[in-house]
Amino acid sequence: QQQVKQSPQSLIVQKGGISIINCAYENTAFDYFPWYQQFPGKGPALLIAIRPDVSEKKEGRFTISFNKSAKQFSLHIMDSQPGDSATYFCAAKSGGYQKVTFGIGTKLQVIP
Amino acid sequence: NAGVTQTPKFQVLKTGQSMTLQCAQDMNHNSMYWYRQDPGMGLRLIYYSASEGTTDKGEVPNGYNVSRLNKREFSLRLESAAPSQTSVYFCASSEPGLAGGNEQYFGPGTRLTVT
């Protein structure tokens, strides 16, 4: 049973375009929603994270939009660059638990 | 400051063989994790250790055992490897953030093939 549903599984975007990756969850106890970025042959690394008391968080070209009522959150990459080509994972954590549940990942390819 | 290190980087096993994957972190984190990554399946938690001396099963623990040797080290053992355990294995560590967050720091991974 997938607790965090992520789509699409793969995405091709032109350089300069906007990349959008969506995630949905069911567990209302989740209170921390990170996004991880993974380059080929490397381990994932934290990209940006949000808590449900805010609707949007922006860091440079990366923005998380959060819709608590719909239990959905998304990652937007503005002005996508070939160097953004990677696999992106959304994730969620609940309360005092240190376990994080990951989505299945989205392989992003930004073409020149 | 090396972060999270894993050994070996690559390994090929025959069905039925055993091996231990090693992980160490130098960030003084209390929590450590083992994940496996498979195409189309994302990152699935095998075992985790919330603190030294404790371990708990994750989503896919069957066929694996773990040891939290001390605060720095967390090993994963395959007692009798099966082809279904062919995967990329990641170790991670974390410490609760001030705002309740939990940034996990991942190692570079071990690519395991079981034939």
Side-chain angles (χ1 to χ4, degrees):
Chain A
Q1 183 181 359
Q2 196 178 1
Q3 292 197 52
V4 179
K5 295 184 178 180
Q6 182 172 350
S7 63
Q9 287 195 46
S10 65
L11 182 61
I12 299 174
V13 173
Q14 290 270 351
K15 178 182 175 181
I18 302 173
S19 303
I20 301 174
I21 304 170
N22 299 300
C23 286
Y25 65 97
E26 289 296 326
N27 187 349
T28 55
F30 286 146
D31 63 357
Y32 173 72
F33 300 88
W35 285 87
Y36 283 79
Q37 179 187 54
Q38 182 184 30
F39 292 107
K42 305 292 185 184
L46 181 67
L47 180 64
I48 186 172
I50 197 168
R51 294 186 62 83
D53 52 349
V54 298
S55 60
E56 186 176 280
K57 183 174 182 180
K58 184 176 181 179
E59 290 186 3
R61 296 182 294 106
F62 300 89
T63 300
I64 301 178
S65 297
F66 189 86
N67 186 329
K68 189 173 182 178
S69 61
K71 292 185 284 187
Q72 295 174 349
F73 59 111
S74 59
L75 176 70
H76 296 234
I77 306 174
M78 311 301 287
D79 187 26
S80 298
Q81 299 296 314
D84 297 330
S85 297
T87 298
Y88 293 82
F89 293 95
C90 63
K93 182 186 85 73
S94 64
Y97 296 102
Q98 292 306 306
K99 289 192 296 182
V100 171
T101 301
F102 287 87
I104 63 172
T106 297
K107 186 173 183 179
L108 171 65
Q109 184 181 2
V110 181
I111 55 177
Chain B
N1 189 344
V4 179
T5 57
Q6 291 182 236
T7 56
K9 286 186 168 50
F10 301 93
Q11 184 71 49
V12 178
L13 290 178
K14 291 187 181 345
T15 297
Q17 287 185 318
S18 62
M19 78 161 295
T20 299
L21 282 64
Q22 306 286 353
C23 174
Q25 52 94 7
D26 62 2
M27 295 172 283
N28 202 36
H29 287 167
N30 277 297
S31 300
M32 297 186 73
Y33 314 80
W34 276 105
Y35 294 91
R36 59 178 289 174
Q37 183 176 15
D38 303 289
M41 304 291 286
L43 289 159
R44 293 183 293 170
L45 183 66
I46 305 171
Y47 270 93
Y48 72 103
S49 172
S51 61
E52 186 179 356
T54 68
T55 60
D56 282 290
K57 294 178 180 179
E59 184 183 352
V60 287
N62 291 344
Y64 306 94
N65 284 301
V66 290
S67 295
R68 183 73 183 267
L69 304 170
N70 46 56
K71 191 172 184 178
R72 290 186 64 247
E73 299 172 288
F74 189 37
S75 63
L76 178 72
R77 183 159 178 84
L78 286 70
E79 291 290 353
S80 178
S84 61
Q85 295 178 304
T86 293
S87 187
V88 181
Y89 292 85
F90 288 100
C91 177
S93 70
S94 73
E95 192 69 23
L98 291 174
N102 178 22
E103 178 175 0
Q104 297 200 2
Y105 294 81
F106 284 81
T110 294
R111 283 145 187 82
L112 175 67
T113 301
V114 183
T115 61

